Amino acid sequence: MNTTIAAETPPEILDAFQFESEKQRRLHDELTAEGYSIADDPANMAGDIGTVKDIECLCEMWTPRLLCKLFVKGTETLEHSFHLVPLHQLVKWGYIVPQPGETFKTKFVVGVRRVSENEFVPALRLPLK
């Protein structure tokens, strides 16, 4: 299995990551204030919500709509633990084109994704713009 490490993130892009991390931190605070709780956290990322982290992932596949099905390293055997990240965001923000079956490491914002009326899970996020 090959491992690829993305190029260094230029300073102007860090502003976009900072904006996204603050947005995800606010969303997490709002959800917990409304009584939401974490449904599951197999990658132990809950403590990192609202931060930018270098995270090693396995790219299992690309969907027909060019979403990358990613598993945080160590959670590959837990089918429910995958993250769908648009390929174009990985190219734009991570300077990487992950190939199916390949592991790679790049910066993600650890954010949240609602999964029910009162639960959320930590999620891999990248800036939208």
Side-chain angles (χ1 to χ4, degrees):
M1 188 181 316
N2 294 332
T3 299
T4 304
I5 298 178
E8 277 298 309
T9 306
E12 63 273 10
I13 289 181
L14 289 177
D15 291 338
F17 276 89
Q18 185 64 33
F19 176 82
E20 185 66 23
S21 65
E22 290 170 5
K23 182 174 81 172
Q24 291 297 321
R25 190 175 308 116
R26 281 192 312 271
L27 179 57
H28 174 260
D29 292 346
E30 289 170 12
L31 290 174
T32 54
E34 292 173 15
Y36 280 71
S37 61
I38 292 183
D40 194 16
D41 185 20
N44 296 316
M45 297 190 304
D48 296 326
I49 291 173
T51 64
V52 178
K53 294 281 187 187
D54 278 319
I55 298 177
E56 189 170 7
C57 296
L58 168 71
C59 177
E60 183 180 88
M61 63 178 281
W62 294 356
T63 70
R65 294 185 182 256
L66 295 181
L67 297 172
C68 295
K69 185 177 180 182
L70 306 178
F71 290 89
V72 173
K73 186 84 170 161
T75 65
E76 301 93 333
T77 59
L78 304 172
E79 180 57 33
H80 70 283
S81 69
F82 67 89
H83 301 266
L84 292 175
V85 178
L87 176 61
H88 72 89
Q89 285 184 314
L90 287 166
V91 171
K92 180 177 182 176
W93 299 109
Y95 300 103
I96 192 159
V97 181
Q99 299 299 311
E102 178 180 273
T103 60
F104 67 97
K105 190 174 196 174
T106 194
K107 288 185 184 347
F108 287 98
V109 172
V110 180
V112 296
R113 181 173 56 87
R114 288 179 225 171
V115 293
S116 72
E117 289 183 14
N118 59 1
E119 293 180 318
F120 64 90
V121 293
L124 300 179
R125 299 288 190 201
L126 290 168
L128 294 175
K129 297 186 181 206

